[in-house]
Amino acid sequence: GAGVSQSPRYKVAKRGQDVALRCDPISGHVSLFWYQQALGQGPEFLTYFQNEAQLDKSGLPSDRFFAERPEGSVSTLKIQRTQQEDSAVYLCASSALRSGANVLTFGAGSRLTVL
Amino acid sequence: AQSVAQPEDQVNVAEGNPLTVKCTYSVSGNPYLFWYVQYPNRGLQFLLKYITGDNLVKGSYGFEAEFNKSQTSFHLKKPSALVSDSALYFCAVRDDTGANNLFFGTGTRLTVIP
């Protein structure tokens, strides 16, 4: 597609529910990133995929967070047993190359509110 | 370790005046530096980057940034601000040692006053 697409744009969950957030990166982009942006803060790194391989998950805040990209394109971020502190905007980004100099293209984000 | 500091939460400037949004960084190796802008309910949009070469980098919408290695800074500038430039601006850094993730500052909200 022309850009990075994320769904749903807004999600309200009751505490304890599981949620799944989807990211469709730009077609052909090798690298895919997930970031968490809390209100009034900058994006914080969660995890990184190169094709289908999850090369870095050091930013995932707990074992309730899980991400996958099974076919090297679409990615899903799953949060189990959501807590209020999980409320944030979850941003997905992709880039064409593995180079650190490459620009990330971001989606509009999925805003999660946990009640 | 990599980190970015944006010392100003808020910058106000009159339309037509020059603007500066400050950023300093810390990296282990050589820095790759980026500026992104975020409008309400939209994702981050790339403005410009410094990888190597000329210290003055020109980007989208008339923005530019100056890389200063001795001061470890990468301030964003524009000669003449527009009301439409009002948004949230993020500085980000990655180093050249192979780390993949981009580290972001906490953002600076720019308000251009008509």
Side-chain angles (χ1 to χ4, degrees):
Chain A
V4 178
S5 178
Q6 292 188 247
S7 60
R9 288 293 314 277
Y10 303 93
K11 176 70 178 178
V12 178
K14 293 183 179 178
R15 192 174 57 172
Q17 281 185 331
D18 297 348
V19 300
L21 308 176
R22 178 188 168 103
C23 173
D24 276 277
I26 293 173
S27 179
H29 274 196
V30 169
S31 298
L32 185 144
F33 300 78
W34 283 98
Y35 283 81
Q36 180 190 58
Q37 186 176 18
L39 190 63
Q41 301 296 316
E44 302 241 352
F45 170 78
L46 293 177
T47 188
Y48 162 68
F49 289 86
Q50 190 178 104
N51 296 307
E52 69 278 4
Q54 189 175 20
L55 298 186
D56 187 347
K57 53 183 181 179
S58 61
L60 296 176
S62 78
D63 59 6
R64 295 186 296 104
F65 287 70
F66 172 76
E68 60 183 5
R69 193 185 186 199
E71 297 178 358
S73 55
V74 171
S75 177
T76 304
L77 177 67
K78 297 179 180 178
I79 309 173
Q80 297 176 324
R81 305 181 303 280
T82 53
Q83 304 294 315
Q84 283 190 320
E85 61 263 28
D86 300 335
S87 295
V89 176
Y90 290 86
L91 297 170
C92 177
S94 68
S95 68
L97 301 174
R98 294 187 287 267
S99 165
N102 214 40
V103 172
L104 301 188
T105 301
F106 283 83
S110 291
R111 182 180 297 276
L112 173 64
T113 302
V114 182
L115 303 177
Chain B
Q2 302 167 59
S3 65
V4 175
Q6 292 182 244
E8 302 155 318
D9 291 336
Q10 173 83 39
V11 169
N12 296 327
V13 63
E15 186 177 22
N17 281 4
L19 69 87
T20 298
V21 182
K22 295 179 181 177
C23 171
T24 58
Y25 66 90
S26 175
V27 294
S28 303
N30 292 312
Y32 297 144
L33 293 154
F34 301 79
W35 276 101
Y36 283 82
V37 59
Q38 188 174 40
Y39 296 99
N41 298 316
R42 297 181 66 178
L44 295 159
Q45 294 178 35
F46 169 74
L47 278 180
L48 50 79
K49 68 178 180 180
Y50 171 82
I51 303 303
T52 186
D54 201 352
N55 288 345
L56 185 64
V57 178
K58 294 188 183 295
S60 308
Y61 313 120
F63 284 93
E64 57 189 30
E66 186 166 12
F67 171 63
N68 188 317
K69 187 173 183 177
S70 63
Q71 297 185 6
T72 60
S73 67
F74 190 57
H75 302 330
L76 182 70
K77 300 182 180 184
K78 187 173 182 181
S80 178
L82 301 173
V83 173
S84 57
D85 293 331
S86 298
L88 194 53
Y89 289 81
F90 290 97
C91 181
V93 70
R94 205 194 241 140
D95 69 26
D96 66 350
T97 60
N100 295 293
N101 45 315
L102 206 50
F103 283 84
F104 284 85
T106 52
T108 299
R109 183 164 299 283
L110 172 68
T111 300
V112 180
I113 303 163

